[in-house]
Every structure is written in structure tokens, then in C-alpha cells.
Amino acid sequence: MMEIKEIYELINNIGVLVFSTINGDEVHSRIAHFNGCDEDGIYFRTMANKPFGRQLIETGKVTVCGISDSKCLGYEEEGTPNFPPSYTIRLIGDVKKVAPEIIKEKAKTNKALMSAANDIDKYPAMAEGNFVIYKAKGEIFDVDFDCINRDHKLLRKRFSFGGVPFNPAGVRITDACIECGKCKKVCTFKAIEEGTPYKVREDRCDDCGSCLMACPVNAIEESLTF
Ligand code: SF4
Ligand code: SF4
């Protein structure tokens, strides 16, 4: 179980992330950042009269994702992917506006919200520009493909706050398993453990599907989105 503060710290360490909203039958994205958290959720701001703000108010929904090190998108000369240890985080949340007097009150004891409180006085439009994601579910993908810091490639964690349920990660092996070991052999993520039946570690599974293709008796079920 992850605390909101822990989730916020991972997000804040990335700094700038992609925020997407729904605009009619379109999905719209932009770059933004968060500016604080408390037990009520994770805060960010944008003027309410911008398209971003209007979409947030109209739908009450936002999705956010980011990566801690975007250098991982390169390739070595011989074609090997260059993927240094990094993590991605993504979440789907319900969002609502926060009144300026509430931001100012919270900022008295929450330093991270001080810039939001100051902006309310500086920019008239910012009075209506504070939002909080008050419930959300999401996932962290911590990758180390060259096994520099550990002996397996992926450490994956799902989370939620505000009482949102979420599905476990990874593919699942059913009782139809005949314990042939073919799935374990093809899994380069060290995510499969022997047993009756064999088991998938949800914190290591990448959902790549290699094991599904290898299983002779279709004993592996596809993963669920969170
Ligand atoms: S889906 Fe990929 S990572 Fe997950 S258990 Fe199967 S082979 Fe391993
Ligand atoms: S490949 Fe299928 S039958 Fe064989 S161990 Fe894995 S899940 Fe079980």
C-alpha cells in the first residue's frame, strides 16, 4: 500500500509530466507539473478558463504519465537499446477544483502549496486555477534492463488512493498448468516461479506475452489493465 506522499515524491522527482484530458470525442495532452499533496490528494494548477482547465471541470477526469530519465530512448551504434535504470509512473484520476481560500489555508502548514497560494494574489485567473486529484489508481514501472542495480529487469507496483479499487498486474497461470516449465524458460524477466501450478510474480511481469505463446495447454491468462 503506497501513501499519497510517496506517490507525490516519485512524481515530483520527475518534475514535468504529460497530462491528458477528454475533450468531446478527442483526447488532449499537455505538459504540466504538480505542486503539492496532502491527505486529500495531489495538487496542480492551470487557469480554469484555459481549454485544459475547462476540460478538467467538464469531465472531472485526468490521466498523467512521466518518465524519470528520457535518455533511455536511444540506441547504441550496433542497435542495442540504451535503457539506463529509470522509472515511469502513470495514473488515472478524478479531479476537482479547489477554492482559493482552501489553498491559502493549507499553504500555512504545507510549504509545497505556498507557490500556489502566492499565485492566487499575483494572477487574478489563478484564483480559479487550483485542482486536486482526489482519487486515482496507477502504476510504477521501475526498469533496470541491464540488471545494474539488481538481478532482474523490472520492479512493478500498482497503487491507488481515495478508495479506488485496482486489478493485480501481470499475466496469471491457471490450474490447467501441467508444470512443463516452458513459460519459465522464455521469461527474461525472471517473473515465473515453479510450483503447482507455476506462478507469475506480478511485481516482475512485463505483460510481454512470451509465456502465453510458449504454453502448450493455454494455462496462462492475459493481464488486466489496472
Ligand atoms: S508475460 Fe512476459 S514477463 Fe510476464 S511472465 Fe510472461 S514471459 Fe514473463
Ligand atoms: S508453460 Fe504452461 S503448462 Fe508449462 S509450466 Fe508454464 S503455465 Fe504451466
Side-chain angles (χ1 to χ4, degrees), residues 150-208:
R150 55 177 187 248
D151 72 349
H152 56 93
K153 296 189 208 173
L154 177 65
L155 199 51
R156 177 181 190 181
K157 201 169 186 179
R158 288 188 169 177
F159 60 80
S160 76
F161 58 87
V164 182
F166 61 91
N167 293 314
V171 300
R172 287 145 299 129
I173 296 179
T174 68
D175 288 343
C177 170
I178 54 168
E179 299 168 39
C180 70
K182 288 185 176 166
C183 54
K184 190 169 191 284
K185 221 174 260 178
V186 296
C187 180
T188 62
F189 289 83
K190 296 188 182 170
I192 297 182
E193 292 175 343
E194 287 174 24
T196 309
Y198 273 43
K199 261 187 20 203
V200 175
R201 290 187 56 146
E202 67 169 280
D203 60 338
R204 293 189 184 183
C205 176
D206 181 53
D207 294 342
C208 71

